[in-house]
Amino acid sequence: MKRSELFFAFILVPVDIEMIIAAFVIAYFARADLEAISSFSSIGLREYLRYLMYLIPVWIALFALSGLYNIRTYRAFWLEIYKIFNASSIAILFLIVGIFLSKSLFFSRLILLFTWIASIIMISFGRSVVQLIQKYLLQFGVGRRNILLAGDNSTSSTISNYISKNPGIGYKICGILSNDSEVSKHGLKVVGKISDLKDKISRHLIDEIILTDISLSKSKIMEIIQVCSDYNVTFKYIPDTFSLMTLHVSSGLLGSMPVMELKPIPLDGWGRIIKRIMDALFALFWIIIFSPVFLIIIILQLITSRGPVFYSHDRIGRDGKKFRCHKFRSMYIEKCDFSNGGTKWTTEKDEVERVTPVGRILRKTNLDELPQLWNIFVGEMSFVGPRPEQPKLVRRFESEIPEYFRRRRVKAGLTGWAQVNGLKGDTSIKERVRYDIFYIENWSLWLDIKILIKTVILVIHETIKGKYEYRSRS
């Protein structure tokens, strides 16, 4: 554990306290400026903050229980916001209970609402500043964790590429240990053999060992674990299924024997019911809101090009069921591919040769997808999920990718975890499947909200800069 990690974990406590106090002060004066009523103005700021003295320890304890003070370099932004939201909401409930028990007369519902909103914003802001400072220092090596990968395989290559593309997570790959040869089959830097682990830990000041070679014997793995323990180095292990899937498991005992059980996905049972209700309500809401846009697009389509306004095609949804997926037609009628719902993805060349002028606007703004709100409303699709594919492509992918069939466990989506991470159009289907499986196994309402927010941001960027899948990644 690095001193910088301890420092930044510790500094978060006074930063949170200062942001909570600031939030209370902002909420007080915002309420005072909005409406100065006698019952409110008769209570001074000091009396108002007196409640805060009792609440701060509770607030900090809730943050600690939520894991917001865990010692680590990288903190996932959206997950941290989610935890702040939950813990702050509970803290405000404590405040409400305290006010009720004390029979105080001065607090209005509006000031409590202001306090709740201001606390979430201010705490998130304070922590973002701390994280920006931490990331800035990482550029100079402060707080960076040195890692050795034990194994020369595609998993090591995937991890190495991810870390090199995401320097902000605070890791540095010092190389790999391989018993096979001195030259990596995946272009990685080989620093020695696994038997040289002690020497390499000392020479490279290693903080973590990540074992990716599952072919090692149990005795060798135990030896590595023992060395890591002796040298106070973190040991991590990645199963061989990393490249294709994540495992959603729970542990238990059968007598005295430990047993691992594959858990049902979160979208079984109540998760499916809740998601369906939310889909139906919001689909109806947005159909009503966008009805003027629907009318304008229909009129423009009829004026500018011949042929049907909508383009409907077969797609595969949950449980392998076929359904008709609807879009606004964006191509010239003679250029449309009606063969079995289409046979290929649209390419950048198609944008020039096959798409109508109105269609270009629809595709650039993603308005061509609006009719799929009807698919969502009637239960054929969801707002979030794996994107639906053509029957021919599904049959091909299932024969090529062993885990592809797992996408059938949920409804197809208007947007998805893969899409907001850049895997759209003619991109790697294997990578897309990996992201889809992650979504299926880790679904939550919060994850759906996060994906929808990222989708809105992505649509705005695409409207300004063009389709993500057609832009240069350099």
Side-chain angles (χ1 to χ4, degrees):
M1 189 176 298
K2 290 184 172 291
R3 290 182 180 179
S4 62
E5 292 175 332
L6 287 171
F7 171 77
F8 280 107
F10 172 78
I11 202 68
L12 284 175
V13 178
V15 167
D16 286 342
I17 292 173
E18 290 175 7
M19 293 300 105
I20 292 169
I21 294 172
F24 267 65
V25 173
I26 290 170
Y28 178 87
F29 285 108
R31 178 68 177 92
D33 290 341
L34 187 64
E35 185 181 352
I37 59 176
S38 58
S39 62
F40 176 80
S41 58
S42 64
I43 300 299
L45 180 61
R46 182 179 298 179
E47 178 69 13
Y48 175 55
L49 293 178
R50 182 171 65 85
Y51 284 86
L52 184 58
M53 293 175 59
Y54 301 105
L55 187 61
I56 281 179
V58 176
W59 211 311
I60 298 303
L62 288 169
F63 275 18
L65 290 172
S66 299
L68 285 166
Y69 296 123
N70 289 354
I71 299 170
R72 59 187 184 275
T73 299
Y74 176 69
R75 299 173 185 274
F77 176 76
W78 288 105
L79 179 60
E80 189 145 301
I81 296 295
Y82 174 68
K83 290 181 177 180
I84 291 170
F85 176 87
N86 280 348
S88 298
S89 300
I90 296 172
I92 294 298
L93 288 177
F94 273 99
L95 176 60
I96 294 170
V97 172
I99 294 168
F100 175 77
L101 294 177
S102 67
K103 299 181 179 179
S104 174
L105 299 176
F106 83 93
F107 280 96
S108 71
R109 286 170 291 182
L110 192 56
I111 195 172
L112 292 173
L113 177 63
F114 283 176
T115 302
W116 176 60
I117 295 172
S119 65
I120 294 171
I121 293 173
M122 292 303 297
I123 294 167
S124 301
F125 171 75
R127 284 176 162 257
S128 296
V129 171
V130 172
Q131 191 158 19
L132 284 174
I133 295 171
Q134 198 170 5
K135 286 185 176 180
Y136 175 76
L137 293 176
L138 281 174
Q139 299 177 18
F140 304 98
V142 179
R144 181 171 289 148
R145 296 182 68 82
N146 296 326
I147 293 179
L148 273 182
L149 301 175
D152 182 18
N153 49 38
S154 59
T155 301
S156 292
S157 178
T158 300
I159 295 171
S160 180
N161 289 335
Y162 176 77
I163 290 175
S164 64
K165 291 178 181 177
N166 296 275
I169 63 177
Y171 288 133
K172 177 187 175 183
I173 299 291
C174 295
I176 67 169
L177 300 175
S178 174
N179 286 333
D180 297 332
S181 65
E182 296 181 358
V183 179
S184 170
K185 294 177 289 187
H186 297 85
L188 303 174
K189 177 184 176 183
V190 178
V191 296
K193 297 184 177 181
I194 294 178
S195 56
D196 303 327
L197 182 58
K198 292 181 181 180
D199 174 63
K200 301 307 174 185
I201 288 175
S202 301
R203 180 176 298 181
H204 297 281
L205 303 176
I206 298 301
D207 299 296
E208 289 187 17
I209 299 290
I210 301 180
L211 178 63
T212 65
D213 187 355
I214 62 162
S215 64
L216 294 178
S217 63
K218 290 183 180 179
S219 60
K220 194 64 179 178
I221 293 174
M222 292 305 299
E223 182 183 332
I224 294 172
I225 294 173
Q226 186 60 52
V227 171
C228 289
S229 177
D230 293 341
Y231 283 80
N232 196 26
V233 171
T234 301
F235 173 82
K236 293 181 179 179
Y237 172 77
I238 296 183
D240 59 328
T241 51
F242 173 80
S243 60
L244 278 178
M245 59 180 288
T246 57
L247 287 178
H248 214 60
V249 299
S250 61
S251 59
L253 289 174
L254 185 61
S256 59
M257 182 69 67
V259 178
M260 304 300 289
E261 175 189 358
L262 287 178
K263 294 167 66 176
I265 62 173
L267 278 171
D268 284 337
W270 280 105
R272 177 182 293 190
I273 295 170
I274 293 170
K275 188 174 172 70
R276 175 64 193 127
I277 293 171
M278 299 298 289
D279 281 338
L281 290 176
F282 281 101
L284 179 60
F285 172 79
W286 287 114
I287 287 172
I288 295 171
I289 292 297
F290 279 109
S291 55
V293 179
F294 272 87
L295 183 61
I296 292 170
I297 294 173
I298 290 170
I299 293 171
L300 288 174
Q301 289 275 55
L302 293 173
I303 293 173
T304 58
S305 65
R306 64 183 184 84
V309 171
F310 299 101
Y311 173 71
S312 300
H313 41 109
D314 288 339
R315 290 292 186 267
I316 300 298
R318 188 175 65 196
D319 300 327
K321 293 179 180 177
K322 188 184 295 186
F323 69 96
R324 298 290 285 175
C325 184
H326 309 297
K327 296 176 69 173
F328 280 120
R329 181 175 57 83
S330 59
M331 295 184 180
Y332 293 106
I333 187 65
E334 60 272 12
K335 299 285 187 178
C336 288
D337 185 359
F338 291 102
S339 56
N340 294 319
T343 56
K344 63 179 182 177
W345 288 302
T346 307
T347 64
E348 187 173 10
K349 184 179 179 182
D350 293 331
E351 294 285 332
V352 178
E353 297 180 352
R354 300 171 64 193
V355 178
T356 67
V358 172
R360 288 194 189 94
I361 297 173
L362 295 179
R363 295 173 71 86
K364 187 174 183 179
T365 57
N366 289 277
L367 291 175
D368 59 324
E369 308 283 356
L370 278 182
Q372 287 169 36
L373 289 172
W374 177 255
N375 289 115
I376 296 171
F377 180 69
V378 298
E380 295 169 334
M381 290 178 62
S382 175
F383 273 101
V384 182
R387 285 295 287 161
E389 293 289 2
Q390 305 161 13
K392 276 188 176 181
L393 293 177
V394 168
R395 289 193 292 271
R396 193 183 97 198
F397 294 150
E398 286 184 341
S399 65
E400 296 175 352
I401 304 171
E403 297 301 319
Y404 189 87
F405 76 95
R406 300 177 69 193
R407 298 169 84 252
R408 293 185 178 188
R409 300 184 69 181
V410 298
K411 289 179 182 177
L414 183 64
T415 184
W417 183 235
Q419 283 66 45
V420 297
N421 282 281
L423 295 167
K424 299 175 64 183
D426 194 7
T427 53
S428 170
I429 191 64
K430 288 185 179 180
E431 277 295 292
R432 203 184 306 177
V433 169
R434 193 164 70 88
Y435 277 83
D436 287 339
I437 292 174
F438 174 88
Y439 169 78
I440 293 167
E441 293 186 343
N442 295 276
W443 174 85
S444 67
L445 280 177
W446 173 248
L447 181 57
D448 272 2
I449 293 169
K450 176 181 175 180
I451 292 171
L452 289 170
I453 292 172
K454 289 171 75 82
T455 298
V456 172
I457 296 171
L458 182 60
V459 167
I460 294 171
H461 283 185
E462 287 190 340
T463 302
I464 297 170
K465 298 183 178 180
K467 288 282 187 178
Y468 182 92
E469 62 266 32
Y470 300 152
R471 297 204 303 268
S472 172
R473 306 294 196 274
S474 58

Short mmCIF file of all heavy atoms in Angstrom, two decimals, residues 319-364:
data_model
loop_
_atom_site.label_atom_id
_atom_site.label_comp_id
_atom_site.label_asym_id
_atom_site.label_seq_id
_atom_site.Cartn_x
_atom_site.Cartn_y
_atom_site.Cartn_z
N ASP A 319 -34.94 -14.89 -25.95
CA ASP A 319 -35.29 -16.30 -26.17
C ASP A 319 -35.27 -16.70 -27.64
O ASP A 319 -35.92 -17.67 -28.04
CB ASP A 319 -36.66 -16.61 -25.56
CG ASP A 319 -36.70 -16.37 -24.06
OD1 ASP A 319 -35.66 -16.57 -23.42
OD2 ASP A 319 -37.75 -15.95 -23.55
N GLY A 320 -34.55 -15.93 -28.46
CA GLY A 320 -34.42 -16.26 -29.87
C GLY A 320 -35.65 -15.97 -30.70
O GLY A 320 -35.75 -16.41 -31.85
N LYS A 321 -36.60 -15.20 -30.13
CA LYS A 321 -37.84 -14.89 -30.86
C LYS A 321 -37.61 -13.81 -31.90
O LYS A 321 -36.95 -12.82 -31.64
CB LYS A 321 -38.92 -14.47 -29.88
CG LYS A 321 -39.38 -15.58 -28.95
CD LYS A 321 -40.44 -15.09 -27.98
CE LYS A 321 -40.89 -16.21 -27.06
NZ LYS A 321 -41.89 -15.72 -26.05
N LYS A 322 -38.22 -14.02 -33.08
CA LYS A 322 -38.09 -13.04 -34.16
C LYS A 322 -39.17 -11.96 -34.01
O LYS A 322 -40.30 -12.26 -33.64
CB LYS A 322 -38.24 -13.76 -35.50
CG LYS A 322 -37.93 -12.88 -36.72
CD LYS A 322 -38.19 -13.65 -38.02
CE LYS A 322 -37.25 -14.82 -38.17
NZ LYS A 322 -37.42 -15.48 -39.51
N PHE A 323 -38.77 -10.71 -34.28
CA PHE A 323 -39.75 -9.62 -34.26
C PHE A 323 -39.40 -8.61 -35.35
O PHE A 323 -38.29 -8.62 -35.88
CB PHE A 323 -39.80 -8.94 -32.88
CG PHE A 323 -38.56 -8.14 -32.54
CD1 PHE A 323 -38.50 -6.77 -32.77
CD2 PHE A 323 -37.44 -8.77 -31.99
CE1 PHE A 323 -37.37 -6.04 -32.46
CE2 PHE A 323 -36.30 -8.04 -31.67
CZ PHE A 323 -36.27 -6.67 -31.91
N ARG A 324 -40.37 -7.76 -35.67
CA ARG A 324 -40.17 -6.72 -36.69
C ARG A 324 -39.67 -5.45 -36.01
O ARG A 324 -40.39 -4.83 -35.21
CB ARG A 324 -41.47 -6.45 -37.44
CG ARG A 324 -42.01 -7.65 -38.20
CD ARG A 324 -41.16 -8.01 -39.39
NE ARG A 324 -41.33 -7.08 -40.51
CZ ARG A 324 -40.63 -7.13 -41.62
NH1 ARG A 324 -39.68 -8.03 -41.77
NH2 ARG A 324 -40.87 -6.27 -42.59
N CYS A 325 -38.47 -5.06 -36.32
CA CYS A 325 -37.85 -3.86 -35.75
C CYS A 325 -38.09 -2.69 -36.71
O CYS A 325 -37.85 -2.81 -37.91
CB CYS A 325 -36.36 -4.08 -35.54
SG CYS A 325 -35.50 -2.72 -34.73
N HIS A 326 -38.56 -1.56 -36.18
CA HIS A 326 -38.97 -0.43 -37.01
C HIS A 326 -37.97 0.72 -36.95
O HIS A 326 -37.42 1.02 -35.89
CB HIS A 326 -40.35 0.07 -36.59
CG HIS A 326 -41.39 -1.01 -36.51
ND1 HIS A 326 -41.78 -1.73 -37.61
CD2 HIS A 326 -42.09 -1.50 -35.45
CE1 HIS A 326 -42.70 -2.61 -37.25
NE2 HIS A 326 -42.90 -2.49 -35.94
N LYS A 327 -37.78 1.36 -38.10
CA LYS A 327 -36.95 2.56 -38.19
C LYS A 327 -37.58 3.49 -39.23
O LYS A 327 -38.37 3.06 -40.06
CB LYS A 327 -35.52 2.22 -38.64
CG LYS A 327 -34.74 1.36 -37.68
CD LYS A 327 -33.37 0.99 -38.24
CE LYS A 327 -32.45 2.19 -38.31
NZ LYS A 327 -31.07 1.83 -38.69
N PHE A 328 -37.21 4.77 -39.17
CA PHE A 328 -37.54 5.64 -40.29
C PHE A 328 -36.61 5.29 -41.45
O PHE A 328 -35.40 5.15 -41.25
CB PHE A 328 -37.33 7.11 -39.91
CG PHE A 328 -38.47 7.69 -39.11
CD1 PHE A 328 -38.25 8.20 -37.85
CD2 PHE A 328 -39.75 7.74 -39.64
CE1 PHE A 328 -39.29 8.74 -37.10
CE2 PHE A 328 -40.80 8.28 -38.92
CZ PHE A 328 -40.57 8.78 -37.64
N ARG A 329 -37.18 5.13 -42.63
CA ARG A 329 -36.35 4.83 -43.80
C ARG A 329 -35.40 6.01 -44.05
O ARG A 329 -35.83 7.15 -44.14
CB ARG A 329 -37.22 4.58 -45.03
CG ARG A 329 -36.42 4.25 -46.29
CD ARG A 329 -37.34 3.90 -47.45
NE ARG A 329 -38.29 4.97 -47.73
CZ ARG A 329 -38.01 6.04 -48.48
NH1 ARG A 329 -36.80 6.19 -49.00
NH2 ARG A 329 -38.93 6.96 -48.68
N SER A 330 -34.12 5.70 -44.18
CA SER A 330 -33.12 6.74 -44.40
C SER A 330 -32.41 6.59 -45.74
O SER A 330 -31.61 7.45 -46.12
CB SER A 330 -32.08 6.74 -43.27
OG SER A 330 -31.44 5.47 -43.20
N MET A 331 -32.71 5.51 -46.48
CA MET A 331 -32.06 5.27 -47.76
C MET A 331 -33.06 5.39 -48.92
O MET A 331 -34.27 5.30 -48.72
CB MET A 331 -31.43 3.88 -47.79
CG MET A 331 -30.30 3.69 -46.80
SD MET A 331 -29.53 2.07 -46.98
CE MET A 331 -28.28 2.16 -45.70
N TYR A 332 -32.53 5.59 -50.12
CA TYR A 332 -33.37 5.57 -51.30
C TYR A 332 -34.02 4.19 -51.41
O TYR A 332 -33.38 3.17 -51.13
CB TYR A 332 -32.54 5.85 -52.55
CG TYR A 332 -31.99 7.26 -52.60
CD1 TYR A 332 -30.64 7.51 -52.35
CD2 TYR A 332 -32.81 8.36 -52.90
CE1 TYR A 332 -30.11 8.81 -52.39
CE2 TYR A 332 -32.30 9.65 -52.94
CZ TYR A 332 -30.96 9.87 -52.68
OH TYR A 332 -30.45 11.14 -52.71
N ILE A 333 -35.28 4.15 -51.81
CA ILE A 333 -36.03 2.90 -51.81
C ILE A 333 -35.35 1.82 -52.65
O ILE A 333 -35.32 0.65 -52.29
CB ILE A 333 -37.48 3.14 -52.30
CG1 ILE A 333 -38.31 1.86 -52.12
CG2 ILE A 333 -37.52 3.65 -53.72
CD1 ILE A 333 -38.48 1.44 -50.69
N GLU A 334 -34.75 2.23 -53.80
CA GLU A 334 -34.10 1.25 -54.66
C GLU A 334 -32.76 0.77 -54.09
O GLU A 334 -32.21 -0.23 -54.54
CB GLU A 334 -33.87 1.83 -56.07
CG GLU A 334 -33.00 3.08 -56.11
CD GLU A 334 -33.81 4.35 -55.93
OE1 GLU A 334 -35.00 4.24 -55.54
OE2 GLU A 334 -33.26 5.43 -56.17
N LYS A 335 -32.24 1.48 -53.05
CA LYS A 335 -30.97 1.10 -52.44
C LYS A 335 -31.17 0.29 -51.16
O LYS A 335 -30.21 -0.20 -50.58
CB LYS A 335 -30.16 2.35 -52.10
CG LYS A 335 -29.80 3.22 -53.30
CD LYS A 335 -28.69 2.62 -54.12
CE LYS A 335 -28.23 3.58 -55.22
NZ LYS A 335 -27.11 3.03 -56.01
N CYS A 336 -32.43 0.20 -50.71
CA CYS A 336 -32.71 -0.54 -49.47
C CYS A 336 -32.49 -2.03 -49.68
O CYS A 336 -32.82 -2.57 -50.74
CB CYS A 336 -34.15 -0.28 -49.01
SG CYS A 336 -34.40 1.37 -48.33
N ASP A 337 -31.95 -2.68 -48.67
CA ASP A 337 -31.71 -4.12 -48.71
C ASP A 337 -32.83 -4.83 -47.97
O ASP A 337 -32.85 -4.86 -46.74
CB ASP A 337 -30.35 -4.44 -48.08
CG ASP A 337 -29.98 -5.90 -48.20
OD1 ASP A 337 -30.78 -6.66 -48.76
OD2 ASP A 337 -28.89 -6.28 -47.73
N PHE A 338 -33.81 -5.38 -48.71
CA PHE A 338 -34.95 -6.04 -48.10
C PHE A 338 -34.77 -7.56 -48.01
O PHE A 338 -35.69 -8.27 -47.61
CB PHE A 338 -36.23 -5.75 -48.89
CG PHE A 338 -36.67 -4.32 -48.79
CD1 PHE A 338 -36.43 -3.43 -49.84
CD2 PHE A 338 -37.31 -3.86 -47.66
CE1 PHE A 338 -36.84 -2.11 -49.75
CE2 PHE A 338 -37.73 -2.53 -47.56
CZ PHE A 338 -37.49 -1.66 -48.61
N SER A 339 -33.61 -8.06 -48.37
CA SER A 339 -33.39 -9.51 -48.38
C SER A 339 -33.20 -10.03 -46.96
O SER A 339 -32.19 -9.81 -46.32
CB SER A 339 -32.14 -9.85 -49.21
OG SER A 339 -31.00 -9.14 -48.74
N ASN A 340 -34.22 -10.73 -46.45
CA ASN A 340 -34.17 -11.33 -45.12
C ASN A 340 -33.78 -10.32 -44.05
O ASN A 340 -32.98 -10.60 -43.16
CB ASN A 340 -33.18 -12.51 -45.09
CG ASN A 340 -33.64 -13.66 -45.95
OD1 ASN A 340 -34.82 -13.98 -45.98
ND2 ASN A 340 -32.71 -14.24 -46.69
N GLY A 341 -34.32 -9.14 -44.18
CA GLY A 341 -34.03 -8.12 -43.16
C GLY A 341 -32.68 -7.49 -43.32
O GLY A 341 -32.18 -6.84 -42.44
N GLY A 342 -32.06 -7.65 -44.48
CA GLY A 342 -30.74 -7.07 -44.68
C GLY A 342 -29.67 -8.12 -44.48
O GLY A 342 -29.84 -9.11 -43.78
N THR A 343 -28.54 -7.91 -45.12
CA THR A 343 -27.48 -8.91 -45.04
C THR A 343 -26.17 -8.37 -44.51
O THR A 343 -25.22 -9.11 -44.32
CB THR A 343 -27.21 -9.48 -46.45
OG1 THR A 343 -26.89 -8.40 -47.35
CG2 THR A 343 -28.43 -10.22 -46.97
N LYS A 344 -26.08 -7.06 -44.25
CA LYS A 344 -24.81 -6.51 -43.79
C LYS A 344 -25.04 -5.22 -43.04
O LYS A 344 -26.11 -4.64 -43.04
CB LYS A 344 -23.87 -6.26 -44.98
CG LYS A 344 -24.42 -5.23 -45.98
CD LYS A 344 -23.45 -5.01 -47.12
CE LYS A 344 -23.98 -3.95 -48.09
NZ LYS A 344 -23.04 -3.66 -49.17
N TRP A 345 -23.95 -4.79 -42.33
CA TRP A 345 -24.01 -3.51 -41.65
C TRP A 345 -23.79 -2.37 -42.64
O TRP A 345 -23.19 -2.54 -43.68
CB TRP A 345 -22.92 -3.43 -40.58
CG TRP A 345 -23.18 -4.28 -39.39
CD1 TRP A 345 -24.26 -4.25 -38.56
CD2 TRP A 345 -22.31 -5.30 -38.88
NE1 TRP A 345 -24.14 -5.16 -37.57
CE2 TRP A 345 -22.95 -5.83 -37.72
CE3 TRP A 345 -21.07 -5.82 -39.25
CZ2 TRP A 345 -22.39 -6.83 -36.96
CZ3 TRP A 345 -20.51 -6.81 -38.49
CH2 TRP A 345 -21.18 -7.33 -37.36
N THR A 346 -24.30 -1.20 -42.26
CA THR A 346 -24.07 -0.01 -43.07
C THR A 346 -22.64 0.48 -42.87
O THR A 346 -22.16 0.54 -41.74
CB THR A 346 -25.06 1.10 -42.68
OG1 THR A 346 -26.38 0.58 -42.74
CG2 THR A 346 -24.93 2.28 -43.62
N THR A 347 -21.98 0.85 -43.96
CA THR A 347 -20.61 1.34 -43.89
C THR A 347 -20.57 2.84 -44.18
O THR A 347 -21.58 3.45 -44.56
CB THR A 347 -19.72 0.61 -44.91
OG1 THR A 347 -20.20 0.93 -46.23
CG2 THR A 347 -19.78 -0.90 -44.71
N GLU A 348 -19.40 3.43 -44.02
CA GLU A 348 -19.25 4.86 -44.28
C GLU A 348 -19.52 5.18 -45.75
O GLU A 348 -20.07 6.24 -46.08
CB GLU A 348 -17.83 5.29 -43.89
CG GLU A 348 -17.61 6.79 -43.96
CD GLU A 348 -16.26 7.20 -43.42
OE1 GLU A 348 -15.42 6.32 -43.17
OE2 GLU A 348 -16.05 8.41 -43.26
N LYS A 349 -19.19 4.25 -46.65
CA LYS A 349 -19.45 4.45 -48.08
C LYS A 349 -20.95 4.54 -48.36
O LYS A 349 -21.40 5.32 -49.20
CB LYS A 349 -18.82 3.31 -48.87
CG LYS A 349 -18.94 3.46 -50.38
CD LYS A 349 -18.28 2.29 -51.10
CE LYS A 349 -18.42 2.43 -52.60
NZ LYS A 349 -17.82 1.26 -53.31
N ASP A 350 -21.73 3.73 -47.62
CA ASP A 350 -23.18 3.75 -47.79
C ASP A 350 -23.77 5.11 -47.44
O ASP A 350 -24.78 5.52 -48.01
CB ASP A 350 -23.84 2.67 -46.91
CG ASP A 350 -23.48 1.26 -47.36
OD1 ASP A 350 -23.24 1.09 -48.57
OD2 ASP A 350 -23.44 0.36 -46.52
N GLU A 351 -23.16 5.80 -46.47
CA GLU A 351 -23.65 7.11 -46.05
C GLU A 351 -23.67 8.08 -47.24
O GLU A 351 -24.46 9.02 -47.27
CB GLU A 351 -22.77 7.66 -44.92
CG GLU A 351 -22.84 6.88 -43.62
CD GLU A 351 -24.12 7.12 -42.87
OE1 GLU A 351 -24.71 8.20 -43.01
OE2 GLU A 351 -24.57 6.21 -42.15
N VAL A 352 -22.78 7.86 -48.18
CA VAL A 352 -22.67 8.76 -49.33
C VAL A 352 -23.55 8.29 -50.48
O VAL A 352 -24.26 9.09 -51.10
CB VAL A 352 -21.20 8.87 -49.79
CG1 VAL A 352 -21.09 9.75 -51.02
CG2 VAL A 352 -20.33 9.40 -48.67
N GLU A 353 -23.54 6.98 -50.75
CA GLU A 353 -24.17 6.47 -51.97
C GLU A 353 -25.63 6.07 -51.80
O GLU A 353 -26.40 6.14 -52.76
CB GLU A 353 -23.38 5.25 -52.47
CG GLU A 353 -21.94 5.59 -52.86
CD GLU A 353 -21.19 4.36 -53.35
OE1 GLU A 353 -21.74 3.24 -53.24
OE2 GLU A 353 -20.05 4.52 -53.82
N ARG A 354 -26.05 5.63 -50.61
CA ARG A 354 -27.38 5.05 -50.46
C ARG A 354 -28.34 5.90 -49.64
O ARG A 354 -29.56 5.70 -49.71
CB ARG A 354 -27.26 3.67 -49.79
CG ARG A 354 -26.42 2.67 -50.58
CD ARG A 354 -26.16 1.41 -49.76
NE ARG A 354 -27.37 0.68 -49.45
CZ ARG A 354 -27.43 -0.29 -48.54
NH1 ARG A 354 -26.36 -0.62 -47.86
NH2 ARG A 354 -28.57 -0.91 -48.31
N VAL A 355 -27.83 6.84 -48.88
CA VAL A 355 -28.66 7.57 -47.92
C VAL A 355 -29.22 8.85 -48.54
O VAL A 355 -28.51 9.59 -49.23
CB VAL A 355 -27.84 7.90 -46.65
CG1 VAL A 355 -28.69 8.70 -45.67
CG2 VAL A 355 -27.35 6.62 -46.00
N THR A 356 -30.50 9.12 -48.26
CA THR A 356 -31.15 10.34 -48.77
C THR A 356 -30.69 11.55 -47.96
O THR A 356 -30.15 11.40 -46.85
CB THR A 356 -32.68 10.21 -48.65
OG1 THR A 356 -33.03 10.19 -47.25
CG2 THR A 356 -33.19 8.96 -49.31
N PRO A 357 -30.89 12.77 -48.48
CA PRO A 357 -30.53 13.97 -47.72
C PRO A 357 -31.21 14.04 -46.35
O PRO A 357 -30.57 14.35 -45.35
CB PRO A 357 -30.98 15.12 -48.63
CG PRO A 357 -30.92 14.54 -50.02
CD PRO A 357 -31.32 13.11 -49.87
N VAL A 358 -32.51 13.73 -46.32
CA VAL A 358 -33.21 13.70 -45.03
C VAL A 358 -32.67 12.56 -44.17
O VAL A 358 -32.50 12.70 -42.95
CB VAL A 358 -34.72 13.55 -45.24
CG1 VAL A 358 -35.45 13.32 -43.91
CG2 VAL A 358 -35.29 14.77 -45.94
N GLY A 359 -32.37 11.44 -44.83
CA GLY A 359 -31.83 10.29 -44.10
C GLY A 359 -30.52 10.59 -43.42
O GLY A 359 -30.25 10.09 -42.31
N ARG A 360 -29.68 11.42 -44.06
CA ARG A 360 -28.40 11.78 -43.44
C ARG A 360 -28.62 12.51 -42.12
O ARG A 360 -27.91 12.28 -41.14
CB ARG A 360 -27.56 12.63 -44.40
CG ARG A 360 -27.00 11.88 -45.57
CD ARG A 360 -25.92 12.66 -46.30
NE ARG A 360 -25.55 11.99 -47.54
CZ ARG A 360 -26.08 12.27 -48.71
NH1 ARG A 360 -26.98 13.26 -48.81
NH2 ARG A 360 -25.72 11.61 -49.79
N ILE A 361 -29.59 13.41 -42.13
CA ILE A 361 -29.90 14.14 -40.90
C ILE A 361 -30.44 13.18 -39.84
O ILE A 361 -30.05 13.23 -38.67
CB ILE A 361 -30.93 15.26 -41.18
CG1 ILE A 361 -30.35 16.28 -42.16
CG2 ILE A 361 -31.36 15.94 -39.88
CD1 ILE A 361 -31.35 17.33 -42.62
N LEU A 362 -31.33 12.28 -40.26
CA LEU A 362 -31.91 11.31 -39.32
C LEU A 362 -30.84 10.42 -38.72
O LEU A 362 -30.84 10.16 -37.50
CB LEU A 362 -32.97 10.46 -40.02
CG LEU A 362 -34.23 11.18 -40.53
CD1 LEU A 362 -35.14 10.18 -41.22
CD2 LEU A 362 -34.95 11.86 -39.38
N ARG A 363 -29.93 9.94 -39.55
CA ARG A 363 -28.89 9.03 -39.07
C ARG A 363 -27.88 9.75 -38.20
O ARG A 363 -27.39 9.21 -37.21
CB ARG A 363 -28.21 8.35 -40.26
CG ARG A 363 -29.13 7.43 -41.04
CD ARG A 363 -28.47 6.92 -42.30
NE ARG A 363 -27.43 5.95 -41.99
CZ ARG A 363 -27.64 4.64 -41.80
NH1 ARG A 363 -28.87 4.15 -41.89
NH2 ARG A 363 -26.65 3.83 -41.53
N LYS A 364 -27.53 10.99 -38.58
CA LYS A 364 -26.55 11.75 -37.81
C LYS A 364 -27.07 12.08 -36.42
O LYS A 364 -26.33 12.07 -35.45
CB LYS A 364 -26.20 13.04 -38.55
CG LYS A 364 -25.05 13.82 -37.90
CD LYS A 364 -24.64 15.00 -38.75
CE LYS A 364 -23.45 15.72 -38.11
NZ LYS A 364 -23.00 16.88 -38.91
#
